[in-house]
Every structure is written in structure tokens, then in C-alpha cells.
Amino acid sequence: NAGVTQTPKFRILKIGQSMTLQCAQDMNHNYMYWYRQDPGMGLKLIYYSVGAGITDKGEVPNGYNVSRSTTEYFPLRLELAAPSQTSVYFCASRGSGVNGNTIYFGEGSWLTVV
Amino acid sequence: RKEVEQDPGPFNVPEGATVAFNCTYSNSASQSFFWYRQDCRKEPKLLMSVYSSGNEDGRFTAQLNRASQYISLLIRDSKLSDSATYLCVVNEGGTGGFKTIFGAGTRLFVKA
């Protein structure tokens, strides 16, 4: 039972490089999210999606892009990496409906920009 | 005002103590509520949902007050293994879509 799978788990990027964090879920969830968590801080919402073909900005979208061509995949693209993007990135998903829906997280992607 | 605010912590308590965490949310259209637990360098995991009638799971009790837009978590008889960060989580509905908003978390240290 895979749940939410993120890759890579660890990555070091040089300033100005680009990369894509991959996220896949096998629970047929409509809602998917990308969060970042800086050391000792809370989760901040980067982007979210309420279904295939629909994405929207969260609290901290600058420097990132997303796409949602299918229900299963929700990749996060970093263009022109900056040291401020050093963080842990969590992908998450949850089902439709309003009450009592659990959000499931991937194990996180640790990104360092040097 | 932050959408979801929690006690800043950290809380340092001895084993066996009772500890309470508080959380407030700003969007009155919020529709479902949860407490998550996050261990160091791990992803958050669901601890329990929070219902208007209040709910209990072993040593953990969660309460919701919609009128005051307030959520609480009570941990009785604290164990060393309860040491973690506790996150208040709110699902917002309405025309803005179903965003899931996390509080900044309250860190708990339980000491022997």
C-alpha cells in the first residue's frame, strides 16, 4: 500500500539550477498539496490542486510551479534555485468530501541549495 | 491574523503530567478539524479528528468550539513517547476550495 510517494528523498542543488520534485498517490484522491517546512518552523502551503487540470497558489508560491495532468501525479518544479528554497518539501493528498478526511503525507524531500 | 494559531510552546512536562494544547482558527467557514503529530525529521501523521461533540482516544481528548473557533487537545498521563510536535489542522471549504491549513505546531517535551 504505497500511499503518497515522493522522490528524490535528498538533493543538493547549485544556485540557478532547476529540478522537479515528483509526487504520486495511488488512493485516487482529488486533492493534492505541496508544503515546505523550514527548520523549526511550521508547514507552509506552496500550491494545491483540487483535481486533474486544476491548480492554485498557496501561501508561498513564488519560485515554484506545478502541474496536475492526471489524478495520480502532482510534480513541483523549482526554476532557478535559490538558497532560500533550502527546506523540506512534503507532498500530501486527501479524498473528496468535507468532513473527517485524513490528509496523507509523503516522507518528505530534503533539498539543499548551495 | 494567521489562519490557524497555536500555543507557541515548547511545553516541558514530567512523565505522568496532563498537558493541554490550544488552537484558534480565523475562517468561520472551516469545516473539519484534526490534530496531527510530527516527530523530528518525519512527516506529520494523523493523531485524531476533532468533532463538535468532543472525542476521546485513550489518553487523548479533543474538543471543538465552533462559536469561539477554538480547538483543544488534552493529553493525560504523558509518556516519554508523547514527545513530538502537535499540529492543529483545519480544512477550509467554501468558494476558495478545500485548502488544508496547518498551525505552526506546539512542541512537547516529556521528561523522566
XYZ file of all heavy atoms in Angstrom, chain B:
872
model
N -3.919 38.516 10.962
C -4.145 37.356 11.836
C -3.900 36.075 11.053
O -4.331 35.928 9.934
C -5.581 37.384 12.357
C -5.865 36.248 13.325
C -7.320 36.264 13.765
N -7.630 35.089 14.536
C -8.857 34.761 14.906
N -9.892 35.517 14.575
N -9.087 33.679 15.617
N -3.152 35.133 11.647
C -2.895 33.866 10.988
C -4.180 33.062 10.903
O -5.050 33.164 11.760
C -1.848 33.079 11.779
C -0.462 33.681 11.712
C 0.531 32.819 12.462
C 1.904 33.450 12.429
N 2.873 32.667 13.218
N -4.260 32.234 9.868
C -5.476 31.442 9.681
C -5.653 30.423 10.797
O -6.770 30.145 11.226
C -5.413 30.748 8.331
C -5.530 31.732 7.163
C -5.321 31.073 5.829
O -4.162 30.850 5.448
O -6.326 30.783 5.158
N -4.556 29.822 11.236
C -4.605 28.851 12.332
C -3.474 29.192 13.295
O -2.311 29.243 12.882
C -4.433 27.407 11.814
C -4.426 26.421 12.976
C -5.545 27.063 10.827
N -3.814 29.451 14.534
C -2.807 29.824 15.525
C -2.804 28.838 16.678
O -3.863 28.449 17.175
C -3.095 31.235 16.069
C -2.829 32.324 15.061
C -2.627 33.685 15.703
O -1.607 33.876 16.389
O -3.492 34.551 15.512
N -1.603 28.484 17.101
C -1.451 27.552 18.212
C -0.605 28.167 19.309
O 0.162 29.106 19.071
C -0.739 26.277 17.744
C -1.486 25.474 16.733
C -0.777 24.166 16.452
O -0.467 23.857 15.315
N -0.549 23.370 17.495
N -0.692 27.587 20.515
C 0.216 27.941 21.597
C 1.645 27.816 21.053
O 1.982 26.823 20.433
C 0.063 26.973 22.778
C -1.264 27.145 23.496
O -1.799 28.276 23.478
O -1.745 26.149 24.056
N 2.504 28.783 21.322
C 3.849 28.723 20.745
C 4.729 27.630 21.332
O 5.588 27.099 20.634
C 4.417 30.123 21.038
C 3.618 30.648 22.170
C 2.262 30.040 22.049
N 4.524 27.284 22.614
C 5.379 26.290 23.228
C 6.823 26.765 23.331
O 7.103 27.948 23.131
N 7.806 25.871 23.598
C 7.564 24.463 23.853
C 6.998 24.207 25.248
O 7.126 25.044 26.127
C 8.954 23.844 23.702
C 9.885 24.938 24.097
C 9.231 26.221 23.674
N 6.397 23.047 25.389
C 5.912 22.603 26.676
C 6.897 21.559 27.207
O 7.210 20.605 26.504
C 4.523 21.962 26.558
C 3.396 22.946 26.376
C 3.476 23.965 25.440
C 2.252 22.847 27.127
C 2.433 24.874 25.265
C 1.195 23.741 26.958
C 1.294 24.747 26.030
N 7.375 21.772 28.407
C 8.249 20.801 29.069
C 7.507 20.259 30.276
O 7.208 21.008 31.210
C 9.552 21.470 29.522
C 10.413 21.879 28.351
O 11.064 21.058 27.722
N 10.401 23.168 28.042
N 7.195 18.961 30.274
C 6.398 18.387 31.355
C 7.035 17.091 31.830
O 7.731 16.410 31.068
C 4.941 18.125 30.910
C 4.286 19.414 30.408
C 4.864 17.040 29.872
N 6.800 16.711 33.097
C 7.291 15.420 33.579
C 6.348 14.299 33.143
O 5.175 14.530 32.835
C 7.267 15.595 35.097
C 6.158 16.568 35.337
C 6.159 17.509 34.150
N 6.891 13.103 33.118
C 6.050 11.943 32.842
C 4.866 11.926 33.793
O 5.002 12.233 34.973
C 6.846 10.647 33.076
C 7.578 10.142 31.879
C 8.191 8.770 32.126
O 9.070 8.658 33.004
O 7.775 7.819 31.460
N 3.707 11.549 33.279
C 2.515 11.466 34.113
C 1.700 12.734 34.163
O 0.560 12.723 34.654
N 2.248 13.819 33.684
C 1.533 15.099 33.730
C 0.395 15.128 32.704
O 0.381 14.365 31.738
C 2.498 16.246 33.453
N -0.526 16.047 32.930
C -1.578 16.345 31.962
C -1.224 17.658 31.276
O -0.840 18.624 31.935
C -2.940 16.475 32.664
O -3.297 15.212 33.223
C -4.018 16.893 31.665
N -1.318 17.669 29.961
C -0.954 18.879 29.205
C -2.062 19.181 28.206
O -2.673 18.264 27.656
C 0.412 18.692 28.502
C 0.400 17.520 27.543
C 0.849 19.958 27.812
N -2.322 20.461 28.011
C -3.384 20.892 27.098
C -2.821 21.842 26.048
O -2.056 22.760 26.384
C -4.496 21.579 27.872
N -3.207 21.616 24.806
C -2.809 22.485 23.705
C -4.045 23.197 23.172
O -5.117 22.591 23.056
C -2.196 21.671 22.553
C -0.988 20.897 22.934
C -0.844 19.586 22.518
C 0.013 21.466 23.707
C 0.273 18.858 22.859
C 1.135 20.736 24.048
C 1.266 19.423 23.627
N -3.870 24.460 22.805
C -4.971 25.254 22.284
C -4.700 25.713 20.870
O -3.546 25.903 20.476
C -5.201 26.481 23.175
C -5.520 26.083 24.594
O -6.360 25.220 24.827
N -4.848 26.698 25.548
N -5.777 25.914 20.149
C -5.671 26.328 18.747
C -6.890 27.172 18.390
O -8.014 26.829 18.791
C -5.604 25.081 17.865
S -5.691 25.380 16.092
N -6.685 28.246 17.647
C -7.811 29.034 17.145
C -7.692 29.147 15.627
O -6.592 29.107 15.074
C -7.843 30.457 17.752
O -6.601 31.102 17.459
C -8.052 30.407 19.241
N -8.837 29.274 14.968
C -8.845 29.415 13.516
C -9.680 30.626 13.131
O -10.617 30.989 13.837
C -9.350 28.141 12.831
C -10.747 27.722 13.211
C -11.843 28.072 12.437
C -10.963 26.951 14.352
C -13.122 27.681 12.781
C -12.239 26.557 14.713
C -13.312 26.922 13.930
O -14.580 26.539 14.282
N -9.332 31.247 12.009
C -9.956 32.528 11.670
C -11.133 32.402 10.705
O -11.998 33.282 10.680
C -8.909 33.463 11.058
O -8.382 32.901 9.874
N -11.172 31.334 9.917
C -12.209 31.205 8.897
C -13.425 30.467 9.456
O -13.367 29.271 9.700
C -11.649 30.463 7.686
C -12.621 30.427 6.521
O -13.801 30.713 6.669
N -12.113 30.091 5.359
N -14.510 31.203 9.645
C -15.700 30.600 10.232
C -16.330 29.546 9.315
O -17.154 28.757 9.758
C -16.729 31.687 10.558
O -17.092 32.392 9.382
N -15.913 29.533 8.025
C -16.448 28.533 7.094
C -15.657 27.224 7.158
O -15.971 26.275 6.443
C -16.420 29.086 5.664
N -14.654 27.166 8.010
C -13.862 25.935 8.134
C -14.768 24.787 8.510
O -15.707 24.948 9.304
C -12.768 26.102 9.189
O -11.867 27.119 8.796
N -14.463 23.625 7.957
C -15.460 22.566 8.054
C -14.997 21.302 8.761
O -15.823 20.543 9.239
C -15.960 22.245 6.645
C -16.601 23.462 6.004
C -17.311 23.150 4.706
O -17.442 22.008 4.329
N -17.765 24.177 4.025
N -13.724 21.039 8.798
C -13.276 19.863 9.540
C -11.921 20.146 10.169
O -11.169 20.990 9.687
C -13.248 18.612 8.657
O -12.525 18.834 7.489
N -11.661 19.413 11.253
C -10.567 19.780 12.140
C -9.848 18.530 12.625
O -10.481 17.485 12.842
C -11.124 20.555 13.349
C -12.041 21.676 12.948
C -13.389 21.458 12.785
C -11.527 22.945 12.689
C -14.243 22.479 12.379
C -12.376 23.971 12.289
C -13.722 23.733 12.128
N -8.536 18.665 12.804
C -7.735 17.499 13.163
C -6.573 17.926 14.040
O -6.133 19.080 14.008
C -7.158 16.847 11.896
C -8.179 16.579 10.823
C -8.481 17.555 9.891
C -8.825 15.368 10.757
C -9.424 17.326 8.897
C -9.762 15.118 9.771
C -10.071 16.099 8.845
N -6.031 16.963 14.749
C -4.716 17.098 15.370
C -3.784 16.093 14.708
O -4.129 14.917 14.569
C -4.774 16.841 16.873
C -5.349 17.983 17.645
C -6.617 18.099 18.134
C -4.667 19.188 18.019
N -6.777 19.295 18.775
C -5.592 19.990 18.725
C -3.374 19.676 17.823
C -5.260 21.239 19.239
C -3.048 20.922 18.331
C -3.987 21.692 19.029
N -2.616 16.586 14.318
C -1.575 15.742 13.758
C -0.381 15.763 14.691
O -0.162 16.722 15.440
C -1.134 16.250 12.374
C -1.975 15.737 11.235
C -3.292 16.137 11.092
C -1.455 14.857 10.301
C -4.067 15.665 10.045
C -2.219 14.376 9.251
C -3.520 14.790 9.132
O -4.296 14.321 8.097
N 0.418 14.714 14.592
C 1.653 14.624 15.358
C 2.809 14.545 14.363
O 2.728 13.820 13.365
C 1.605 13.368 16.229
C 2.916 13.030 16.875
C 2.918 11.669 17.515
N 4.266 11.324 17.913
C 4.598 10.894 19.120
N 3.665 10.727 20.041
N 5.850 10.609 19.410
N 3.877 15.283 14.656
C 5.064 15.220 13.802
C 6.288 14.957 14.653
O 6.647 15.757 15.530
C 5.245 16.510 12.996
C 6.383 16.401 11.980
C 6.512 17.620 11.085
O 6.082 18.717 11.440
N 7.093 17.448 9.912
N 6.941 13.847 14.402
C 8.205 13.538 15.051
C 9.340 14.196 14.266
O 9.191 14.512 13.074
C 8.404 12.028 15.134
C 7.383 11.385 16.057
O 7.393 11.739 17.248
O 6.562 10.579 15.593
N 10.471 14.355 14.946
C 11.601 15.056 14.333
C 12.022 14.400 13.018
O 12.210 13.182 12.948
C 12.764 15.065 15.329
S 14.122 16.110 14.826
N 12.112 15.210 11.973
C 12.576 14.771 10.663
C 11.649 13.731 10.021
O 12.097 12.905 9.205
C 14.009 14.246 10.737
C 15.001 15.289 11.232
C 16.418 14.741 11.278
N 16.954 14.470 9.958
C 17.442 15.375 9.132
N 17.450 16.644 9.482
N 17.919 15.039 7.955
N 10.397 13.768 10.424
C 9.409 12.859 9.842
C 8.224 13.658 9.311
O 8.068 14.836 9.628
C 8.901 11.881 10.903
C 9.964 10.938 11.425
C 10.303 9.886 10.417
C 11.200 8.825 11.011
N 11.543 7.788 10.006
N 7.392 12.984 8.537
C 6.190 13.638 8.046
C 5.110 13.682 9.123
O 5.078 12.812 10.013
C 5.653 12.920 6.793
C 4.990 11.572 7.038
C 5.962 10.411 7.079
O 7.169 10.635 7.330
O 5.495 9.282 6.875
N 4.198 14.642 9.058
C 3.074 14.666 10.009
C 2.165 13.459 9.803
O 1.972 12.991 8.674
C 2.337 15.957 9.647
C 3.315 16.777 8.882
C 4.191 15.806 8.162
N 1.615 12.985 10.914
C 0.679 11.859 10.830
C -0.548 12.166 11.681
O -0.440 12.804 12.732
C 1.345 10.565 11.312
C 2.443 10.095 10.383
C 3.024 8.767 10.820
C 4.095 8.311 9.827
N 4.742 7.046 10.233
N -1.695 11.692 11.207
C -2.942 11.973 11.896
C -2.940 11.382 13.307
O -2.664 10.204 13.499
C -4.111 11.394 11.109
C -5.484 11.574 11.751
C -5.886 13.044 11.755
C -6.528 10.735 11.033
N -3.256 12.235 14.288
C -3.436 11.775 15.663
C -4.921 11.487 15.888
O -5.306 10.409 16.304
C -2.933 12.836 16.636
C -3.090 12.538 18.106
C -2.238 11.344 18.513
C -2.738 13.751 18.956
N -5.746 12.490 15.619
C -7.188 12.295 15.755
C -7.963 13.409 15.082
O -7.479 14.524 14.942
C -7.595 12.188 17.225
C -7.262 13.365 18.093
S -7.329 12.984 19.854
C -8.992 12.372 20.058
N -9.168 13.071 14.665
C -10.096 14.081 14.166
C -10.746 14.763 15.364
O -10.729 14.244 16.476
C -11.162 13.433 13.296
O -10.580 12.759 12.207
N -11.335 15.929 15.116
C -11.976 16.689 16.191
C -13.420 16.934 15.818
O -13.694 17.494 14.749
C -11.266 18.043 16.417
C -11.827 18.725 17.661
C -9.768 17.864 16.539
N -14.331 16.534 16.682
C -15.755 16.677 16.406
C -16.391 17.624 17.408
O -15.903 17.802 18.526
C -16.444 15.310 16.474
C -15.838 14.295 15.541
C -15.202 13.154 16.039
C -15.878 14.479 14.163
C -14.630 12.234 15.181
C -15.298 13.562 13.310
C -14.676 12.438 13.819
O -14.115 11.522 12.975
N -17.506 18.208 17.010
C -18.184 19.190 17.862
C -18.590 18.595 19.200
O -18.622 19.291 20.221
C -19.418 19.742 17.150
O -19.051 20.426 15.983
N -18.879 17.315 19.200
C -19.310 16.663 20.435
C -18.131 16.300 21.322
O -18.307 15.815 22.428
C -20.100 15.398 20.086
O -19.320 14.565 19.254
N -16.914 16.536 20.827
C -15.728 16.135 21.572
C -15.463 14.661 21.350
O -16.390 13.877 21.141
N -14.223 14.270 21.342
C -13.922 12.859 21.181
C -12.653 12.486 21.928
O -11.790 13.325 22.158
C -13.840 12.461 19.704
C -12.986 13.380 18.875
O -13.226 14.580 18.817
N -11.962 12.839 18.233
N -12.590 11.229 22.293
C -11.522 10.732 23.136
C -10.927 9.484 22.510
O -11.644 8.658 21.937
C -12.101 10.404 24.518
C -11.086 10.053 25.579
C -11.737 9.910 26.956
O -12.449 10.834 27.378
O -11.536 8.855 27.591
N -9.609 9.375 22.611
C -8.921 8.173 22.132
C -7.848 7.847 23.153
O -6.761 8.420 23.113
C -8.323 8.439 20.750
C -7.643 7.205 20.179
O -7.675 6.133 20.819
O -7.067 7.320 19.077
N -8.170 6.954 24.079
C -7.224 6.611 25.131
C -6.910 7.809 26.002
O -7.804 8.410 26.594
N -5.641 8.190 26.042
C -5.219 9.313 26.884
C -5.444 10.676 26.236
O -5.148 11.706 26.840
C -3.727 9.152 27.217
C -3.395 7.888 27.999
C -1.900 7.786 28.311
N -1.092 7.576 27.111
C -0.292 8.507 26.576
N -0.197 9.703 27.137
N 0.410 8.234 25.504
N -5.932 10.688 25.021
C -6.077 11.921 24.248
C -7.555 12.314 24.121
O -8.391 11.483 23.774
C -5.479 11.740 22.845
C -4.010 11.417 22.849
C -3.572 10.116 23.027
C -3.075 12.420 22.688
C -2.222 9.821 23.039
C -1.718 12.135 22.694
C -1.292 10.836 22.869
N -7.820 13.593 24.387
C -9.175 14.123 24.236
C -9.116 15.392 23.403
O -8.316 16.288 23.686
C -9.795 14.447 25.602
O -9.843 13.261 26.393
C -11.213 14.996 25.436
N -9.968 15.458 22.379
C -10.036 16.642 21.527
C -11.396 17.295 21.667
O -12.412 16.612 21.813
C -9.789 16.259 20.070
N -11.391 18.633 21.636
C -12.636 19.389 21.755
C -12.677 20.455 20.668
O -11.642 20.997 20.277
C -12.705 20.091 23.113
C -12.725 19.173 24.306
C -14.131 18.744 24.685
O -15.095 19.237 24.126
N -14.238 17.830 25.620
N -13.888 20.764 20.206
C -14.100 21.814 19.208
C -15.198 22.739 19.708
O -16.251 22.273 20.119
C -14.514 21.196 17.875
C -15.075 22.139 16.811
C -14.026 23.144 16.350
C -15.618 21.335 15.628
N -14.951 24.028 19.640
C -15.960 25.028 19.958
C -16.114 25.923 18.735
O -15.301 26.811 18.491
C -15.535 25.846 21.179
C -16.607 26.845 21.611
O -17.276 27.460 20.774
N -16.768 27.009 22.900
N -17.137 25.653 17.940
C -17.317 26.397 16.679
C -17.638 27.870 16.929
O -17.216 28.740 16.182
C -18.429 25.768 15.844
C -18.016 24.475 15.145
C -19.091 24.011 14.199
N -18.757 22.758 13.541
C -18.112 22.689 12.385
N -17.724 23.796 11.773
N -17.847 21.517 11.833
N -18.389 28.141 17.982
C -18.770 29.536 18.250
C -17.531 30.388 18.529
O -17.437 31.535 18.097
C -19.736 29.587 19.427
N -16.583 29.813 19.270
C -15.351 30.536 19.609
C -14.233 30.270 18.609
O -13.143 30.848 18.746
C -14.879 30.137 21.006
O -15.874 30.403 21.964
N -14.477 29.367 17.657
C -13.457 28.998 16.655
C -12.193 28.542 17.368
O -11.088 29.045 17.096
C -13.231 30.164 15.677
C -14.478 30.455 14.857
C -14.326 31.610 13.885
O -15.301 32.235 13.501
N -13.119 31.924 13.476
N -12.381 27.555 18.223
C -11.320 27.115 19.127
C -11.283 25.590 19.165
O -12.323 24.927 19.204
C -11.650 27.702 20.508
C -10.874 27.188 21.662
C -9.638 27.743 21.992
C -11.376 26.162 22.453
C -8.935 27.283 23.087
C -10.665 25.691 23.533
C -9.451 26.258 23.856
O -8.751 25.799 24.927
N -10.070 25.047 19.157
C -9.864 23.603 19.205
C -8.857 23.317 20.320
O -7.932 24.111 20.524
C -9.279 23.096 17.872
C -10.161 23.522 16.695
C -9.112 21.583 17.862
C -9.421 23.491 15.375
N -9.036 22.205 20.997
C -8.074 21.861 22.053
C -7.714 20.389 21.983
O -8.440 19.572 21.409
C -8.660 22.190 23.429
O -9.785 21.372 23.701
N -6.556 20.077 22.550
C -6.095 18.700 22.685
C -5.577 18.527 24.095
O -4.721 19.297 24.536
C -4.994 18.379 21.677
C -4.375 16.990 21.797
C -5.382 15.915 21.414
C -3.122 16.875 20.927
N -6.088 17.523 24.786
C -5.652 17.227 26.148
C -4.956 15.871 26.149
O -5.500 14.902 25.615
C -6.866 17.203 27.086
C -6.577 16.999 28.576
C -6.034 18.291 29.178
C -7.835 16.571 29.318
N -3.777 15.834 26.723
C -3.050 14.568 26.867
C -2.919 14.281 28.357
O -2.342 15.074 29.112
C -1.649 14.631 26.230
C -1.740 15.061 24.758
C -0.953 13.284 26.351
C -0.381 15.247 24.089
N -3.454 13.151 28.761
C -3.364 12.749 30.184
C -2.238 11.736 30.357
O -1.896 11.005 29.416
C -4.683 12.131 30.636
C -5.839 13.098 30.729
C -7.102 12.376 31.204
N -7.500 11.320 30.283
C -8.172 11.527 29.155
N -8.531 12.751 28.825
N -8.479 10.517 28.366
N -1.671 11.692 31.566
C -0.642 10.693 31.890
C 0.447 10.646 30.813
O 0.687 9.607 30.185
C -1.311 9.317 32.045
C -0.366 8.262 32.607
O 0.618 8.644 33.278
O -0.602 7.064 32.343
N 1.084 11.765 30.580
C 2.079 11.902 29.500
C 3.155 10.830 29.594
O 3.634 10.486 30.677
C 2.735 13.277 29.574
O 1.793 14.296 29.403
N 3.550 10.327 28.425
C 4.629 9.351 28.304
C 5.810 9.997 27.594
O 5.649 10.953 26.830
C 4.159 8.139 27.475
C 2.833 7.532 27.905
C 2.912 6.862 29.239
C 1.574 6.187 29.578
N 1.547 5.746 31.002
N 6.981 9.423 27.796
C 8.165 9.916 27.088
C 7.928 9.899 25.579
O 8.361 10.793 24.852
C 9.387 9.068 27.430
C 9.889 9.131 28.872
C 11.039 8.149 29.079
C 10.331 10.539 29.229
N 7.211 8.879 25.117
C 6.959 8.715 23.687
C 5.990 9.754 23.122
O 5.818 9.833 21.900
C 6.412 7.319 23.398
O 5.222 7.101 24.149
N 5.368 10.545 23.985
C 4.487 11.620 23.513
C 5.285 12.841 23.046
O 4.713 13.764 22.465
C 3.518 12.058 24.616
C 2.508 10.988 24.986
O 2.210 10.128 24.134
O 2.022 10.998 26.140
N 6.576 12.864 23.317
C 7.419 13.989 22.902
C 7.386 14.109 21.383
O 7.755 13.172 20.673
C 8.856 13.798 23.385
O 8.916 13.780 24.787
N 6.913 15.242 20.899
C 6.733 15.465 19.458
C 6.192 16.878 19.283
O 5.978 17.600 20.270
C 5.749 14.463 18.855
N 5.953 17.243 18.039
C 5.263 18.495 17.737
C 3.822 18.171 17.358
O 3.578 17.270 16.551
C 5.950 19.239 16.592
O 7.279 19.573 16.998
C 5.204 20.515 16.244
N 2.892 18.902 17.937
C 1.467 18.663 17.695
C 0.913 19.791 16.834
O 1.046 20.969 17.172
C 0.725 18.529 19.020
C 1.128 17.256 19.723
C 2.279 17.199 20.498
C 0.384 16.090 19.562
C 2.684 16.015 21.097
C 0.772 14.903 20.164
C 1.924 14.873 20.931
O 2.327 13.697 21.509
N 0.315 19.407 15.724
C -0.145 20.360 14.732
C -1.669 20.398 14.706
O -2.328 19.359 14.604
C 0.356 19.952 13.342
C 1.868 19.775 13.183
C 2.185 19.136 11.846
C 2.559 21.120 13.285
N -2.203 21.594 14.775
C -3.639 21.815 14.622
C -3.910 21.994 13.131
O -3.195 22.758 12.462
C -4.014 23.059 15.416
S -5.722 23.594 15.257
N -4.905 21.317 12.611
C -5.151 21.309 11.167
C -6.615 21.610 10.878
O -7.504 21.042 11.511
C -4.783 19.943 10.562
C -4.971 19.964 9.045
C -3.357 19.575 10.918
N -6.831 22.485 9.898
C -8.189 22.917 9.562
C -8.406 22.759 8.061
O -7.579 23.208 7.270
C -8.373 24.397 9.979
C -9.711 24.922 9.505
C -8.222 24.540 11.482
N -9.502 22.114 7.686
C -9.897 22.055 6.278
C -10.890 23.174 6.018
O -11.946 23.228 6.645
C -10.547 20.714 5.944
C -9.542 19.607 5.793
O -8.347 19.852 5.679
N -10.018 18.383 5.795
N -10.541 24.060 5.086
C -11.429 25.166 4.753
C -12.238 24.815 3.521
O -11.738 24.256 2.571
C -10.606 26.435 4.480
C -9.843 26.931 5.693
C -9.145 28.254 5.428
O -8.977 28.606 4.254
O -8.772 28.921 6.409
N -13.488 25.123 3.543
C -14.332 24.864 2.387
C -14.724 26.161 1.742
O -13.976 27.121 1.754
N -15.891 26.203 1.176
C -16.405 27.420 0.570
C -15.865 27.637 -0.831
O -15.273 26.744 -1.435
N -16.039 28.848 -1.333
C -15.717 29.147 -2.724
C -14.214 29.098 -2.989
O -13.792 28.992 -4.122
C -16.238 30.535 -3.105
O -15.692 31.487 -2.195
C -17.757 30.573 -3.021
N -13.407 29.195 -1.962
C -11.957 29.167 -2.147
C -11.403 27.773 -2.366
O -10.211 27.609 -2.592
N -12.244 26.788 -2.307
C -11.762 25.429 -2.482
C -11.369 24.804 -1.170
O -11.379 25.441 -0.122
N -10.936 23.560 -1.208
C -10.693 22.823 0.018
C -9.216 22.862 0.366
O -8.494 21.908 0.176
C -11.226 21.408 -0.128
C -12.722 21.400 -0.236
C -13.334 21.316 -1.462
C -13.506 21.530 0.888
C -14.718 21.331 -1.571
C -14.886 21.547 0.799
C -15.490 21.448 -0.435
N -8.825 23.965 0.938
C -7.453 24.095 1.406
C -7.321 23.455 2.775
O -8.220 23.538 3.611
C -7.054 25.564 1.519
C -6.853 26.244 0.188
C -6.069 27.535 0.341
C -6.764 28.549 1.204
N -5.992 29.818 1.248
N -6.191 22.842 3.010
C -5.882 22.301 4.331
C -4.790 23.171 4.924
O -3.719 23.288 4.346
C -5.428 20.841 4.230
O -6.494 20.064 3.688
C -5.065 20.301 5.600
N -5.106 23.789 6.054
C -4.200 24.747 6.680
C -3.660 24.160 7.977
O -4.436 23.666 8.809
C -4.919 26.078 6.992
C -5.592 26.628 5.730
C -3.929 27.076 7.568
C -4.644 27.017 4.632
N -2.357 24.234 8.152
C -1.698 23.733 9.353
C -1.287 24.887 10.261
O -0.776 25.906 9.784
C -0.447 22.940 8.979
C -0.742 21.579 8.428
C -1.204 21.424 7.137
C -0.558 20.456 9.216
C -1.481 20.169 6.624
C -0.832 19.197 8.715
C -1.287 19.058 7.418
N -1.477 24.693 11.556
C -0.876 25.610 12.512
C 0.624 25.381 12.554
O 1.135 24.407 12.007
N 1.336 26.298 13.210
C 2.803 26.215 13.263
C 3.284 25.074 14.148
O 4.446 24.681 14.069
C 3.377 27.538 13.744
N 2.394 24.553 14.989
C 2.760 23.423 15.832
C 3.187 23.842 17.225
O 3.702 24.957 17.423
N 2.954 22.963 18.176
C 3.409 23.151 19.555
C 4.286 21.973 19.921
O 3.856 20.818 19.814
C 2.213 23.236 20.527
O 1.345 24.289 20.121
C 2.715 23.502 21.941
N 5.500 22.291 20.310
C 6.461 21.236 20.641
C 6.267 20.786 22.081
O 6.127 21.604 22.991
C 7.881 21.773 20.468
C 8.965 20.730 20.537
C 9.154 20.033 19.212
N 10.113 18.940 19.315
C 11.401 19.067 19.039
N 11.872 20.238 18.653
N 12.190 18.034 19.151
N 6.226 19.473 22.278
C 6.083 18.896 23.620
C 7.313 18.062 23.931
O 7.703 17.210 23.132
C 4.835 18.011 23.695
C 4.659 17.193 24.980
C 4.445 18.117 26.178
C 3.500 16.216 24.854
N 7.896 18.337 25.104
C 8.985 17.517 25.635
C 8.486 16.892 26.931
O 8.130 17.608 27.865
C 10.222 18.364 25.930
C 10.854 18.975 24.716
C 10.562 20.282 24.349
C 11.757 18.257 23.951
C 11.158 20.857 23.239
C 12.355 18.826 22.834
C 12.052 20.132 22.475
N 8.474 15.571 26.983
C 8.111 14.870 28.212
C 9.390 14.275 28.786
O 10.101 13.538 28.100
C 7.085 13.754 27.946
C 6.712 13.056 29.262
C 5.837 14.321 27.278
N 9.683 14.625 30.042
C 10.943 14.174 30.628
C 10.688 13.206 31.780
O 9.662 13.267 32.448
C 11.773 15.367 31.097
C 11.062 16.313 32.055
C 11.922 17.526 32.337
C 11.318 18.396 33.418
N 10.067 19.042 33.003
N 11.660 12.323 31.975
C 11.542 11.314 33.033
C 11.690 11.941 34.417
O 12.351 12.965 34.573
C 12.597 10.242 32.831
